[in-house]
Amino acid sequence: MSGWLPTAPCTPGGCSTHHGAPTGPLVAVSRLLAGVTLVVAGVSLTPLVALLNAATRDRLTRRWAHTVIRCFGLRVSIRFAGEPEPGRGTGVLVVANHISWLDIPLIAAVFPGRMLAKSEIGRWPVLGAVAARGGTLFVERERLRALPGTVRTLATALSAGSRVIVFPEACTWCGQDHGRFTSAVFQSALDAGTAVRPVRITYRAADGRPSGAPSFVGDDTLPASLWRVVAAGGLTAEITVLPLIPAGRHTDRRALAHAARTAMVQGAAAAARSTAAQDAEWLTAAQTAVASDSANLPASSVHQCVSSIPAPASSARTPS
């Protein structure tokens, strides 16, 4: 891996703690079989679904993604803040923190769109062709010189009215803390004149505390991560849709990345208090962060990302 790519200090041993009772082995196995079967079925049907009209395709994708998460044993919680999503045909860049392979169906359950993925997936037998047919955009993570071309590709997709989903942390974190947002992908929104929609992903145990069971970090393997998820009891996949950052609000990609990350972190901090009386404060904090490009970034208290050089958005570990 290139040294300029961001990495996170998270490890499975240090970050994958789950607060809650485990499920029985039979339940875990049944969840695993159901989830994997549904994923394979969805991937296989992608070329056919791509032939449908946009509204039908979005509806089927949302249902499939929601059902995938449920099959793996998680409940789904969706929180909205701010104005509704622009109508179909209006390009928008959706940016989210990155924790797990579960992030992909979780975002698709709300925002079906074109995912930015590492180029290695495009070279996978069968699955690579299916991903490309489904509209996935690929980035050469290890080639810094390829980054301007990726930005142009993203801007073209946004200008054509596509919803594009990226993970600007450029690597997976456990959810206890967050990496910096790389600014390169935000240039595509500026070039296309489109809005940015920050979203916050959290996985919670039955008692409401964040759970590390779904995190896919460090030298973790997909089979180990899959088993942790299906064996954990009472998991909830939570996605918080933050206020839209309108096109033209920021003219510099770093300021735009700063505003998106600040909205996500401040919204997460307020939402973590989990009381109805504080919902208004949470929304105000998120909207203030979106409107300002001069607020200071919250100091990281758990982890620090070790690279400061911008990188394409896609986890080196997550099969996105």
Side-chain angles (χ1 to χ4, degrees):
M1 183 183 295
S2 297
W4 60 272
L5 290 175
T7 59
C10 309
T11 62
C15 301
S16 298
T17 302
H18 174 66
H19 303 285
T23 62
L26 290 180
V27 173
V29 170
S30 65
R31 287 177 174 179
L32 183 61
L33 292 175
V36 171
T37 298
L38 189 59
V39 169
V40 171
V43 169
S44 301
L45 293 173
T46 295
L48 294 178
V49 174
L51 301 176
L52 302 175
N53 64 69
T56 301
R57 187 167 62 245
D58 280 1
R59 185 168 62 253
L60 290 176
T61 299
R62 287 190 178 100
R63 289 181 180 176
W64 170 82
H66 189 279
T67 306
V68 165
I69 298 171
R70 293 291 293 152
C71 282
F72 280 115
L74 291 84
R75 291 182 290 274
V76 178
S77 173
I78 303 171
R79 299 183 63 189
F80 286 88
E83 66 289 337
E85 185 71 7
R88 183 76 193 190
T90 302
V92 62
L93 183 70
V94 179
V95 297
N97 59 307
H98 206 6
I99 299 173
S100 172
W101 48 270
L102 280 165
D103 300 347
I104 298 160
L106 182 57
I107 289 180
V110 185
F111 298 117
R114 304 187 67 179
M115 188 75 64
L116 181 65
K118 57 185 180 181
S119 59
E120 293 91 323
I121 293 177
R123 294 190 287 270
W124 287 357
V126 182
L127 290 180
V130 170
R133 182 69 179 271
T136 301
L137 303 167
F138 298 105
V139 57
E140 294 281 349
R141 284 174 49 83
E142 308 246 351
R143 294 181 56 229
L144 184 58
R145 286 183 293 181
L147 191 55
T150 299
V151 172
R152 286 194 296 271
T153 298
L154 293 176
T156 298
L158 291 168
S159 297
S162 293
R163 182 188 295 124
V164 178
I165 297 94
V166 300
F167 299 107
E169 288 172 311
C171 58
T172 47
W173 287 67
C174 63
Q176 297 180 54
D177 207 345
H178 319 285
R180 292 185 179 278
F181 277 12
T182 57
S183 61
V185 293
F186 291 90
Q187 185 62 47
S188 64
L190 295 178
D191 293 345
T194 56
V196 173
R197 172 73 78 177
V199 301
R200 158 75 185 177
I201 293 172
T202 308
Y203 297 97
R204 298 190 185 279
D207 62 3
R209 286 187 290 174
S211 172
S215 59
F216 186 48
V217 294
D219 59 356
D220 207 358
T221 64
L222 184 57
S225 179
L226 282 165
W227 185 254
R228 267 200 320 272
V229 169
V230 298
L235 280 177
T236 296
E238 179 182 285
I239 181 168
T240 303
V241 182
L242 296 161
L244 199 71
I245 304 176
R249 174 69 57 80
H250 301 278
T251 57
D252 175 79
R253 69 185 188 187
R254 290 178 178 82
L256 184 55
H258 177 98
R261 184 186 184 276
T262 302
M264 186 194 73
V265 173
Q266 290 187 352
R273 293 193 284 269
S274 301
T275 63
Q278 291 162 330
D279 278 352
E281 178 188 348
W282 167 80
L283 177 57
T284 299
Q287 291 173 328
T288 300
V290 166
S292 172
D293 62 351
S294 60
N296 292 325
L297 281 174
S300 296
S301 58
V302 180
H303 298 310
Q304 284 285 347
C305 204
V306 298
S307 174
S308 60
I309 304 177
S314 178
S315 170
R317 298 292 306 168
T318 304
S320 58

